[in-house]
Amino acid sequence: MDAVRVALLREVLAGTEWPGATRRFAGTLRSSVLPHGGGLLLVGTAEYEPWHLAAHLVDEAAWSGTPELKPTLVRHGARPGDPAHLAVGLGRIEAARRGETLLVVAPGAPGAPLLERVYDARRAGATVLALDSGDHELHAMAHEALAVPPGPDLDEGLDLDTVQHLVSAATGENALPAPRGRRRFTDRLARLADRLTAPPPARW
């Protein structure tokens, strides 16, 4: 989902809780990851892997100039022969420590094996975030959670995939600004575009 469609979706959802809720969740994610220079672990359930969210966070990390947002996708079925970015198994959650962030995306029940690892990661000091359908056990462990009722909302047309798009977009938009004197290329390009498209000064 590109920026234009995200903007249109937010316009449609204006007046509902979702624009604010997804921005708040994205802000928590960003503030948990950026001060530690990264360490974002992303995991789904045995039945659902958040491929699209991982890809969107990679894109947002590149577009916003904040590589700390790039996640490590943790997979239930990872095999040693998989490419490096797809070969990270659940043992990575067991190794999570203070300064790392674990984002759990679960459209259904997370399952006991995953919950046990999430609990261990929290005890070791990792920050736990949950984007799910409202599982009570997962929410009890999470420092921050955003629940999306299972199935599409007939009034708002929302489902977990759509909310993931809103969260990932907000995460990149709300990135910390570059230090003074070291403006990013995109900032310079935006200023140049403003000057080129500005009307000519009035002559008196």
Side-chain angles (χ1 to χ4, degrees), residues 11-84:
E11 185 174 337
V12 170
L13 294 172
T16 73
E17 66 175 309
W18 292 107
T22 51
R23 281 192 166 105
R24 283 191 298 273
F25 188 85
T28 300
L29 173 60
R30 189 181 64 256
S31 63
S32 176
V33 172
L34 294 189
H36 298 287
L40 175 58
L41 306 176
L42 175 62
V43 67
T45 65
E47 296 78 23
Y48 177 87
E49 289 189 328
W51 297 94
H52 283 99
L53 180 56
H56 284 298
L57 286 171
V58 169
D59 288 342
E60 293 296 337
W63 293 336
S64 65
T66 48
E68 298 89 349
L69 296 175
K70 183 178 179 181
T72 296
L73 180 62
V74 179
R75 303 180 61 216
H76 289 253
R79 297 169 297 184
D82 290 335

Side-chain angles (χ1 to χ4, degrees), residues 9 13 17-19 21-23 25 48 53 103-109 130-136 138-139 144-154 156-168:
L9 180 58
L13 294 172
E17 66 175 309
W18 292 107
T22 51
R23 281 192 166 105
F25 188 85
Y48 177 87
L53 180 56
L103 172 55
V104 183
V105 181
L131 185 56
D132 71 337
S133 57
D135 183 84
H136 295 298
L138 180 56
H139 280 218
E144 183 76 21
L146 180 59
V148 184
D153 186 308
L154 297 180
E156 298 172 0
L158 278 182
D159 56 20
L160 185 62
D161 286 336
T162 303
V163 171
Q164 289 179 65
H165 285 297
L166 292 172
V167 167
S168 61

Side-chain angles (χ1 to χ4, degrees), residues 4 34 37 39 42 58 81 92 119 127 135 176 179 184 204:
V4 173
L34 294 189
L42 175 62
V58 169
R92 181 64 183 84
Y119 177 74
T127 299
D135 183 84
L176 292 174
R184 290 191 293 268
W204 300 97

